[in-house]
Amino acid sequence: MKFISVLFLSLSLSMGVLATQPSIYGENGVVVAHDLQACEAGIEILKNGGNAVDAAVAVSYALAVTHPQAGNLGGGGFMLIHLADGQKVAIDYREMAPGQAHRDMFLDDSGRVVPLLSTRGGLAIGVPGTVAGLQLALDNYGSMARKKVMKPAIKLALKGFPIPYDLAYSFGWLNKAAEGFDETRRVFCRNGELYMPGEMFKQPDLAKTLKRIQKKGKAGFYEGEIAEALVKSSTKYGGTLTLDDLMNYTARVRQPVSGSYRGLEVLSMPPPSSGGIALISMLNMLEPMVFDSVRWHSAQHIQMLSEVEKRAYADRSVWLGDSDFLDVPQDKLLSKAYASMRMADYDSLSVTPSDSIYPLNDSQLAAIKLPGHESEETTHFSVVDKWGNAVSVTTTLNWSFGSYVTEEGYGFLLNNEMDDFSSKPGEPNSFGLIGNEANAIAPKKRMLSSMTPTILAKDGKVVLVVGAPGGSTIITTVLQIINNMVDFGMPVHDAVNVPRFHHQWRPDVIHYGPGAISPETMLVLRNMGYELEPRYGYGEVNAIARDKIFGGWIGAPDLKTASHGTAY
Ligand code: DON
């Protein structure tokens, strides 16, 4: 057993980026997640003999207690699993639209999108998937009883934990934002008598809810008193959720999408996420490009990624949605042939304006020939265990604290994931993402996501577990981590902690984080014809990579935020 903290002097110094960071190294398991308590919950399970899936379930329930902005019981998520025996599965516990949802539910009589209807209050809430998904993962791929894996979360809710500054700050912000949402303000903001940083935060209502789930499993949440109170809370705020909606919720085991990038196997989340398909298609578009003489975050580098990103996000707007409701041309969009056709008009010396990048049309899609054999406030965490099993989980309420509706008497928030549907063809959602028919609202349909839990493997062995929150920036964040490591040779902690930029086709703008682009490079890019805008709040990446020298695992929490990693 080993736990070593090492200071690495980063290679990226030579790239003009100061990133000297501590790494977390472990041979028997590593958990990297938003907060220390959640990491410790996972490590406790690993130490007691649980596998990475058991630990991931424990971390998820712990985050529902310690990170109420995004960790959840009333939301949904995706879990990507790569087992040491070669099995690869994706657990989809994305929220579903309620039975009474309909495509124009967020439009007024003259067909205009009604502000805030899809993001605040009852109509914003999709049927939560988390409890069902965690149960499915545990039953199929875990090795421990629910009773055991839920213990750390129940203890955290009952005994409380000292509120970190970032959480106390968020509660202060929520106190004003959630006016009218009395239960939310009672539970998280003590009716305006705010919790102070460092104060113990106990959640007796949530502990009661967790204990019920611990005892009765999925039925404890989707049936009986919790389900009844959930319907009541939805109705109180204008929602349409019914007991039937809850009873009929199903989580699914899906086949991950896969691709390759410079000899590495890339495994990611299939629909209803757009993340995996967009990520792999962007990697396919980048693969023919030579990075040897490209300087990191130079105009040339930013141009390469931005052009690739625009093309992938244009196709996302038309072709991606819930594959239980439409035929997503997945194999084609994942093919190298699609990537090369998509990049046919790419010119390394110029800008292709978003207005002249159209989503692929039917006949272009039909023209792609596949080789005969051919058979993506949220939070992300990564877990590995001593057997080589790896789990990558992204979970969310959508916006920070979701719909602001807290289930009365049960202590947990409900999502506002309905905003991830396209309320009206061609209109941007709150992340500026354009959607169309494929992502129109329908009863029981899952809204398109950008969450991109991803795992990279080499010769069948996991080398990187990665993912991020950040809405539409999730996919380009994961892309940049891979690009930083594979094409620029950065160690994982640098790849995670250097600044990032983002293009999503519309708006036709390169967004950049603090320090991501030098003033000189901005000038070059503007002269080329690019528009540039600063943007704060790129997602908290929590990654784990295989250590090349000692063979164990390096945990790489995102130090730009308050995230953590623990190893043993
Ligand atoms: O599923 C999605 O793509 C969004 N609901 C994720 C939201 C998100 O990442 C917000 N956080 N930063």
Side-chain angles (χ1 to χ4, degrees):
M1 281 215 300
K2 252 190 210 170
F3 176 27
I4 308 169
S5 256
V6 190
L7 275 178
F8 277 95
L9 188 60
S10 153
L11 280 179
S12 60
L13 281 172
S14 60
M15 297 165 196
V17 180
L18 185 71
T20 303
Q21 285 140 11
S23 280
I24 296 142
Y25 177 79
E27 287 181 353
N28 296 311
V30 175
V31 180
V32 184
H34 178 74
D35 51 71
L36 188 60
Q37 288 87 356
C39 290
E40 284 173 345
I43 290 291
E44 182 183 323
I45 296 297
L46 292 177
K47 283 187 172 165
N48 289 332
N51 67 19
V53 176
D54 299 315
V57 174
V59 173
S60 291
Y61 277 117
L63 284 167
V65 180
T66 56
H67 188 36
Q69 299 98 316
N72 65 84
L73 299 179
F78 299 130
M79 182 183 290
L80 186 70
I81 303 172
H82 187 302
L83 296 176
D85 69 5
Q87 275 190 85
K88 299 155 197 175
V89 289
I91 312 281
D92 164 10
Y93 46 103
R94 182 70 163 166
E95 298 89 330
M96 291 167 86
Q100 289 175 47
H102 56 93
R103 61 174 288 145
D104 296 335
M105 63 186 280
F106 297 125
L107 304 184
D108 65 16
D109 293 344
S110 38
R112 279 190 297 255
V113 177
V114 182
L116 297 182
L117 208 57
S118 63
T119 53
R120 288 284 168 260
L123 286 178
I125 307 170
V127 184
T130 296
V131 174
L134 298 182
Q135 191 60 52
L136 183 65
L138 195 63
D139 289 346
N140 288 320
Y141 308 101
S143 66
M144 276 184 164
R146 184 173 61 240
K147 196 172 177 334
K148 268 194 176 158
V149 296
M150 291 190 70
K151 249 188 178 160
I154 293 173
K155 193 170 157 195
L156 283 164
L158 267 182
K159 300 218 154 122
F161 60 95
I163 303 190
Y165 176 81
D166 68 313
L167 184 55
Y169 176 90
S170 292
F171 286 164
W173 167 85
L174 183 68
N175 183 46
K176 289 202 176 115
E179 209 177 311
F181 295 89
D182 297 346
E183 182 70 354
T184 295
R185 289 188 65 253
R186 179 184 75 81
V187 172
F188 301 105
C189 318
R190 210 163 38 193
N191 291 321
E193 205 188 306
L194 293 179
Y195 290 100
M196 294 295 290
E199 202 176 334
M200 289 300 276
F201 183 46
K202 296 183 185 178
Q203 300 173 80
D205 292 351
L206 182 58
K208 177 179 71 182
T209 303
L210 287 165
K211 277 185 179 164
R212 197 177 157 86
I213 298 168
Q214 184 190 43
K215 196 162 162 209
K216 296 179 182 277
K218 189 186 161 201
F221 184 84
Y222 291 93
E223 296 170 38
E225 66 182 63
I226 296 181
E228 282 156 22
L230 206 158
V231 169
K232 242 171 112 181
S233 298
S234 151
T235 309
K236 179 172 173 181
Y237 287 99
T240 63
L241 278 172
T242 62
L243 287 173
D244 264 3
D245 287 334
L246 291 165
M247 191 100 110
N248 291 325
Y249 181 83
T250 40
R252 296 205 184 284
V253 176
R254 300 195 189 272
Q255 199 187 335
V257 288
S258 61
S260 64
Y261 187 61
R262 304 197 198 286
L264 294 164
E265 186 191 355
V266 183
L267 210 66
S268 195
M269 195 66 207
S273 182
S274 61
I277 292 179
L279 173 71
I280 291 170
S281 66
M282 290 190 290
L283 289 168
N284 285 339
M285 292 182 219
L286 285 181
E287 202 171 43
M289 300 183 184
V290 179
F291 282 88
D292 294 354
S293 59
V294 176
R295 205 164 40 83
W296 185 79
H297 281 208
S298 60
Q300 189 185 3
H301 180 206
I302 293 166
Q303 195 257 359
M304 288 157 106
L305 263 66
S306 299
E307 291 301 319
V308 154
E309 291 169 2
K310 284 191 252 185
R311 285 156 175 85
Y313 277 72
D315 289 335
R316 176 195 194 278
S317 76
V318 162
W319 292 104
L320 301 186
D322 184 351
S323 53
D324 290 343
F325 277 69
L326 65 139
D327 279 333
V328 175
Q330 183 169 310
D331 291 350
K332 290 201 169 186
L333 295 175
L334 290 168
S335 71
K336 307 267 181 199
Y338 156 78
S340 95
M341 172 199 214
R342 220 32 183 124
M343 291 302 277
D345 62 350
Y346 171 75
D347 172 354
S348 66
L349 295 175
S350 72
V351 185
T352 316
S354 291
D355 278 348
S356 61
I357 296 179
Y358 300 100
L360 211 67
N361 61 38
D362 293 297
S363 60
Q364 287 170 309
L365 191 74
I368 299 170
K369 297 281 173 263
L370 293 174
H373 65 279
E374 195 134 348
S375 56
E376 171 193 315
E377 171 107 30
T378 301
T379 189
H380 178 86
F381 66 89
S382 300
V383 184
V384 293
D385 65 23
K386 63 181 172 193
W387 297 284
N389 302 308
V391 181
S392 184
V393 178
T394 315
T395 184
T396 191
L397 290 165
N398 193 24
W399 286 14
S400 194
F401 302 110
S403 63
Y404 290 174
V405 178
T406 295
E407 175 161 329
E408 257 168 67
Y410 291 88
F412 65 93
L413 282 148
L414 294 160
N415 68 83
N416 63 346
E417 220 75 62
M418 290 295 286
D419 187 62
D420 276 349
F421 276 119
S422 170
S423 296
K424 185 178 174 180
E427 291 263 332
N429 75 354
S430 59
F431 296 108
L433 288 166
I434 309 281
N436 281 290
E437 223 31 65
N439 190 30
I441 307 172
K444 301 191 179 173
K445 192 173 171 183
R446 297 174 206 246
M447 54 295 283
L448 186 62
S449 175
S450 299
M451 294 189 289
T452 313
T454 295
I455 294 176
L456 264 60
K458 191 168 170 58
D459 304 326
K461 292 228 155 64
V462 172
V463 293
L464 179 70
V465 188
V466 65
S472 57
T473 66
I474 293 174
I475 316 172
T476 60
T477 290
V478 174
L479 177 73
Q480 284 170 92
I481 306 303
I482 297 173
N483 182 233
N484 288 343
M485 292 180 73
V486 176
D487 296 311
F488 291 94
M490 285 190 205
V492 65
H493 46 286
D494 283 352
V496 165
N497 283 291
V498 290
R500 293 189 272 276
F501 60 92
H502 169 75
H503 201 308
Q504 60 181 54
W505 177 54
R506 298 208 187 277
D508 193 355
V509 170
I510 298 173
H511 286 114
Y512 60 92
I517 310 181
S518 72
E520 296 78 13
T521 299
M522 285 193 210
L523 204 63
V524 177
L525 288 165
R526 288 198 167 107
N527 283 337
M528 286 177 84
Y530 285 106
E531 259 191 61
L532 292 139
E533 265 177 30
R535 170 177 181 146
Y536 293 89
Y538 283 80
E540 175 186 283
V541 175
N542 288 315
I544 300 175
R546 175 83 70 179
D547 179 72
K548 283 184 188 153
I549 298 173
F550 306 108
W553 300 99
I554 295 179
D558 202 323
L559 303 176
K560 292 191 286 313
T561 62
S563 91
H564 291 82
T566 309
Y568 95 100

